[in-house]
Every structure is written in C-alpha cells, then in structure tokens.
Amino acid sequence: MTTTAATTITAGNTTHQLTHDTVQAATAHLTPANSAVPHPNRSWYALVGTHLYYVIDLVETATGATGVSVKTARLALAELGFPVFALAWSTLLTQGHPGHTG
C-alpha cells in the first residue's frame, strides 16, 4: 500500500490539510474507542499507535474541520497509512452500509 506524507480533505467549502503528525497529535485530545461501551452510530475506526479512534473525530480534531463525511475521513486516513477498520455484523458484512460505501 502506498502512503503519502500529507493529504487534503474538503469539508463544506473549505479545504484542510491532514498529515501523519497532525493525526497523531489529535489523539492527545481524544479518548480511544472502548469495546465495553461502544457507540451505536460509529462504524469506522483508525488504528493510531496502539488505540482505535473513530475516523470522523480523528480527522475533525486533526484539521479543525466540521461536517467531515465518514467516507472522506476513512479514505484520507488510509491514504496516510493508518489502518482503517469497520465494525460490522449481519447485513453490513454482506451488503455494506449505503451511507458509507457510496
């Protein structure tokens, strides 16, 4: 997998730069995902260091952007080389989530 040093995302009408360093720095302001208390509306996570973080929280914290889509966040993090994971079960495994796959 090819990774880049920096990428850009667009949220609303604003373009933001995202780097490996800004993503790592954002983790200091976030609580890692907790399997004992899962969030019912969060399906995509990125591995940063030894912890999983929700992709939207991670990208919004790293860039200061708001309204980042799940697809934009997960693709940008993957482009930077962070492993991205989906929490899935039942039809999410066989059909995907229409709001996240389009």
Side-chain angles (χ1 to χ4, degrees):
M1 175 168 92
T2 303
T3 61
T4 83
T7 190
T8 58
I9 62 153
T10 301
N13 294 325
T14 306
T15 300
H16 303 270
Q17 185 172 10
L18 188 65
T19 68
H20 199 270
D21 290 341
T22 60
V23 171
Q24 287 185 316
T27 64
H29 306 284
L30 297 170
T31 302
N34 184 342
S35 62
V37 188
H39 191 287
N41 297 318
R42 295 182 174 174
S43 299
W44 288 94
Y45 298 86
L47 181 65
V48 181
T50 59
H51 297 289
L52 291 174
Y53 296 90
Y54 181 52
V55 296
I56 291 177
D57 291 347
L58 196 52
V59 169
E60 287 185 347
T61 301
T63 62
T66 57
V68 176
S69 75
V70 170
K71 183 177 180 181
T72 297
R74 67 182 176 82
L75 292 176
L77 291 166
E79 186 176 344
L80 291 173
F82 293 101
V84 177
F85 301 90
L87 175 64
W89 61 93
S90 188
T91 57
L92 288 176
L93 290 172
T94 58
Q95 299 171 10
H97 188 296
H100 299 174
T101 57

